[in-house]
Amino acid sequence: MGPLSARLLMQRGRPKSDRLGKIRSLDLSGLKLLSEHLDPKLLSRLTQLQELDLSNNQLETLPANLGLSHLRVLRCANNQLGDVTALCQFPELEELSLEGNPFLTVSDNLKVSFLLPKLRKVNGKDASSTSSQVENLNRELTSRVTAHWEKFKAALSPGEEAEKAQADFVKSAVRDIRYGPESLSEFTQWRVRMISEELVASGGAQVREADIPERPPKAPAAQEPRARPVAVKRPDDVSLSPSPNKRVCTSSSVCVEGSAPGSDDSRPALDLEPLHFLQCHSKNNSPRDLETQLWACAFEPAWEEGHAGATSQTVATCGGEAVCVIDCQTGIVLHKYKAPGEEFFSVAWTALTVVTQAGHKKRWSVLAAAGLRGLVRLLHVRAGFCCGVIRAHKKAIATLCFSPTHETHLFTASYDKRIILWDLGVPNHDYEFQASQLLTLDATSIPLRLCPVASCPDAYLLAGCEGGCCCWDVRLDRPQKRRVCEVEFVFSEGSEAAGRRVDGLAFVNQDVVASKGNGLGTICLWSWSQTWGARGKQSSLAVVVLARLQWSPTKLAYFSLSTCPDEGIVLCGDEEGNVWLYDVRRLLSQQAPLPAAPQAPTQILKWPQPWALGQMVTKTMVNTVAANRTCTYLTALTDSNIVAIWKRQ
């Protein structure tokens, strides 16, 4: 498509007219328009235009001087927009569509709400919730910038140049003022700069809390969620945060049990404070739904280049027909994806590099979710849409995981007793995936947990199965594309334990594996290198056990354990709603032989009392628990539809 012409505008405009100034509605969708094709001189002649459709084009930006001052409706879906600040030229805009622009983030949604005070609908949904969130953020940021200004002034020396000092103030405010979740940092820094510059321009006069015109009051909600002051949740996400007068106890003597008497581990227990209890997976958003079971959670890795020590506070959870992406600090549900008729069992993250049609490289997170229907849905989290579906298995998918070394390689494990390795490939310009099947691994029983071997993830895959723990050779330079189990691992609890279910499996470090299920009441720590080194040509191997950890004596299954390798921590829930935490660094550093008796947990994180949840939850099982890489945030999922979040103090 070349530059626009007056003739084309009159052909596509409504009502039909030979004068551009009389057109009120214009459809320019599907013309493969680039940003440079939008000629401001031509479009500014559309003086009465109220509705403009630019969807399904290739726009990366909008020109800043289109002159459409009467525009009420703008559709820009399915483009490649990466910035929304040019929308401020449309102050009368009431409806906006930005779906299918994969480089726009939740911060851009907030910018839109701030820049367009008359906006009523975004992507067909009511914009009032986002507006409230923007107003709260703006109020807090204004207060913090003002306080920062007072401290900055007090530290100034009398001879400092005013102009330089003001510039330094803006820089320091943008650098030092942090508030809200990491996912909103782009918006908060953008607003901090604006507020700081306004404060400087006014000569230090008090900045008003918001430059946002007052909006009409909302009708009172049927049920207002109780939340922490900084956590503005969507109306359909019910908060179960403790009430102020009945704060959940966090002292170690009541809510956290330390190591059992006689334990030689003198390391202090983690100081974890309960932050949020959410019911964001409820059927029909009902707070009475205590039956939806939640199955898996995974923290988004910190992909930022140059921030090797960075850690994420964003967690994905799945259960029922929903996948939720939650900011742990505020408890805000950043995104919710629903698939009616589905029941999600597993989620996993990766990050892909895509190239736009203009040749720009972009890095974005993709969340894979799968469950009952045997489909893998690939969710572009920041843009908030499903960008691909893989019909992976005819039966339910129990679990999935990405390769730690190949960002597009995904393992799926199904109730059809097969594990398949997929290559998702790099999405095309329309952000569509063309997945291909690389390997099929046959199991003798249902695979429940997948774990690439930490020291050689491209060579071997471990799986905890209904019938035990198995290993496959997954090297792609081998000719066979369909393979049987290479080795079955045998645990030494006794002959009656052979073939027993392994429903928990994770690497503690590059060598040590934590597994659960082969021995009642224990979690086993064993060495991959020592076990594999004794293999020879055997198809069955006795694991070299390093230690055992004391766990609940329950006979119930499917409590998934997880690890935090950076901290040397093993975590597992139980049938009483507790979270068992083990700091195993000291244990693994001891010289052999290690103690034969199972080692007590470093601490047991107790589930709060029922009154703390505002619900009569008398008993709940923690199906799975996960922590981010520094164990700053811990998330636990229950069989009674509650997402619990703790923070390390």
Side-chain angles (χ1 to χ4, degrees):
M1 179 71 193
L4 297 175
S5 65
R7 181 180 178 183
L8 178 66
L9 298 189
M10 287 186 285
Q11 287 176 346
R12 290 199 162 228
R14 296 289 184 276
K16 288 294 184 182
S17 173
D18 58 356
R19 293 184 182 181
L20 295 180
K22 291 188 177 181
I23 295 175
R24 292 179 176 271
S25 176
L26 179 61
D27 183 0
L28 296 178
S29 63
L31 297 178
K32 298 184 179 179
L33 293 173
L34 302 177
S35 300
E36 54 265 31
H37 293 155
L38 301 181
D39 182 3
K41 289 184 179 179
L42 178 62
L43 294 174
S44 63
R45 294 166 59 186
L46 299 163
T47 54
Q48 297 301 315
L49 191 67
Q50 294 188 7
E51 185 173 343
L52 176 61
D53 191 345
L54 293 171
S55 56
N56 300 304
N57 284 298
Q58 299 168 15
L59 305 175
E60 293 192 356
T61 60
L62 290 175
N65 53 346
L66 293 176
L68 305 175
S69 58
H70 296 287
L71 202 63
R72 300 288 194 278
V73 178
L74 177 61
R75 299 184 181 92
C76 292
N78 301 318
N79 279 280
Q80 299 183 40
L81 296 176
D83 182 56
V84 296
T85 53
L87 293 172
C88 66
Q89 65 185 297
F90 311 125
E92 302 298 317
L93 207 62
E94 297 176 359
E95 295 186 25
L96 177 65
S97 175
L98 291 171
E99 291 177 307
N101 285 275
F103 304 125
L104 296 182
T105 68
V106 65
S107 286
D108 292 303
N109 294 338
L110 300 185
K111 288 182 182 179
V112 164
S113 184
F114 178 81
L115 295 168
L116 302 172
K118 294 188 178 181
L119 200 62
R120 296 185 296 105
K121 287 187 177 182
V122 178
N123 299 331
K125 298 179 181 179
D126 180 50
S128 59
S129 176
T130 305
S131 301
S132 298
Q133 186 177 354
V134 169
E135 290 168 5
N136 286 340
L137 285 170
N138 197 76
R139 185 179 301 112
E140 180 66 27
L141 292 174
T142 300
S143 172
R144 293 187 180 215
V145 170
T146 304
H148 189 73
W149 171 253
E150 295 300 327
K151 290 181 181 178
F152 187 85
K153 281 196 307 180
L156 285 177
S157 59
E160 263 191 88
E161 229 178 276
E163 190 173 332
K164 180 180 182 300
Q166 291 172 348
D168 289 345
F169 164 69
V170 174
K171 289 179 182 177
S172 67
V174 173
R175 182 187 66 241
D176 297 337
I177 295 177
R178 293 288 182 269
Y179 178 70
E182 292 172 1
S183 56
L184 304 185
S185 60
E186 183 188 348
F187 172 79
T188 55
Q189 290 182 28
W190 179 73
R191 277 299 295 139
V192 165
R193 180 177 294 280
M194 292 174 68
I195 296 168
S196 303
E197 290 174 346
E198 180 188 341
L199 188 62
V200 166
S202 67
Q206 179 71 29
V207 183
R208 287 173 299 165
E209 284 188 345
D211 295 326
I212 307 173
E214 289 189 14
R215 302 174 188 264
K218 295 184 291 184
Q223 179 177 356
E224 195 68 29
R226 288 177 290 169
R228 296 166 67 88
V230 299
V232 182
K233 296 181 177 62
R234 298 180 181 182
D236 59 353
D237 296 329
V238 181
S239 166
L240 301 174
S241 296
S243 56
N245 60 331
K246 291 185 177 180
R247 182 72 179 166
V248 175
C249 173
T250 59
S251 67
S252 58
S253 61
V254 178
C255 291
V256 177
E257 291 184 356
S259 298
S263 169
D264 60 357
D265 190 352
S266 60
R267 192 182 307 278
L270 295 174
D271 186 7
L272 292 159
E273 176 192 9
L275 283 186
H276 309 287
F277 298 90
L278 309 175
Q279 275 185 292
C280 47
H281 291 264
S282 298
K283 294 177 182 176
N284 302 317
N285 301 317
S286 170
R288 295 181 179 84
D289 175 16
L290 299 176
E291 297 179 357
T292 296
Q293 293 196 336
L294 310 183
W295 290 110
C297 56
F299 277 87
E300 180 180 15
W303 306 111
E304 294 86 352
E305 293 182 7
H307 293 77
T311 184
S312 172
Q313 62 187 41
T314 304
V315 68
T317 61
C318 72
E321 63 181 16
V323 174
C324 294
V325 179
I326 304 168
D327 176 77
C328 290
Q329 179 184 359
T330 63
I332 295 173
V333 179
L334 301 173
H335 302 282
K336 179 185 287 187
Y337 175 81
K338 284 189 176 182
E342 180 64 277
E343 183 175 3
F344 288 105
F345 295 149
S346 186
V347 286
W349 292 91
T350 190
L352 302 178
T353 300
V354 298
V355 181
T356 69
Q357 289 179 331
H360 300 148
K361 289 186 177 180
K362 300 277 187 177
R363 187 85 167 159
W364 43 279
S365 293
V366 174
L367 180 67
L372 185 65
R373 298 178 64 179
L375 305 175
V376 177
R377 301 170 196 270
L378 303 172
L379 310 180
H380 184 341
V381 175
R382 291 200 167 189
F385 69 94
C386 179
C387 51
V389 177
I390 304 172
R391 300 186 179 280
H393 298 267
K394 292 183 179 180
K395 291 189 176 182
I397 295 174
T399 187
L400 42 77
C401 75
F402 279 97
S403 163
T405 54
H406 297 281
E407 61 189 24
T408 64
H409 287 189
L410 174 68
F411 290 98
T412 60
S414 170
Y415 282 76
D416 61 12
K417 301 180 183 178
R418 290 189 301 163
I419 300 168
I420 297 179
L421 173 59
W422 303 87
D423 187 351
L424 305 183
V426 178
N428 60 24
H429 293 310
D430 294 324
Y431 307 102
E432 297 170 337
F433 287 90
Q434 296 294 328
S436 59
Q437 190 171 322
L438 299 179
L439 291 176
T440 299
L441 311 175
D442 291 319
T444 56
S445 60
I446 298 170
L448 304 173
R449 310 288 174 221
L450 298 180
C451 191
V453 174
S455 59
C456 47
D458 294 332
Y460 296 104
L461 176 75
L462 283 178
C465 304
E466 285 284 2
C469 184
C470 300
C471 176
W472 287 263
D473 186 330
V474 293
R475 286 174 286 187
L476 296 176
D477 57 358
R478 301 295 176 91
Q480 300 88 356
K481 298 303 178 185
R482 185 155 191 164
R483 303 173 187 177
V484 296
C485 170
E486 187 105 348
V487 170
E488 182 176 358
F489 294 100
V490 178
F491 295 79
S492 56
E493 281 87 348
S495 58
E496 72 281 1
R500 183 175 288 163
R501 173 193 303 117
V502 173
D503 56 4
L505 191 69
F507 272 83
V508 181
N509 55 31
Q510 287 293 102
D511 179 57
V512 178
V513 186
S515 63
K516 181 183 73 67
N518 280 87
L520 289 179
T522 61
I523 295 171
C524 180
L525 300 182
W526 53 281
S527 168
W528 160 263
S529 62
Q530 294 180 48
T531 302
W532 195 253
R535 180 195 172 192
K537 295 184 178 181
Q538 301 176 66
S539 60
S540 181
L541 275 178
V543 300
V544 178
V545 177
L546 302 178
R548 291 185 176 84
L549 308 177
Q550 177 189 338
W551 183 67
S552 169
T554 180
K555 293 184 179 180
L556 296 175
Y558 310 121
F559 297 97
S560 177
L561 66 79
S562 63
T563 61
C564 189
D566 283 9
E567 298 287 314
I569 290 174
V570 178
L571 311 101
C572 192
D574 72 6
E575 78 285 5
E576 298 292 338
N578 304 319
V579 178
W580 299 58
L581 295 95
Y582 310 84
D583 187 337
V584 298
R585 288 173 295 182
R586 181 175 176 180
L587 179 66
L588 296 179
S589 65
Q590 294 180 25
Q591 297 295 320
L594 294 174
Q599 299 298 290
T602 307
Q603 65 187 100
I604 299 177
L605 189 64
K606 291 289 187 180
W607 191 257
Q609 297 296 322
W611 51 256
L613 301 176
Q615 298 275 351
M616 290 306 294
V617 182
T618 57
K619 186 176 180 181
T620 188
M621 293 191 294
V622 174
N623 293 333
T624 189
V625 60
N628 62 1
R629 59 181 293 175
T630 57
C631 210
T632 305
Y633 291 100
L634 184 151
T635 301
L637 306 185
T638 74
D639 70 334
S640 53
N641 190 29
I642 297 171
V643 178
I645 299 172
W646 283 268
K647 183 179 181 182
R648 188 176 186 174
Q649 297 303 295

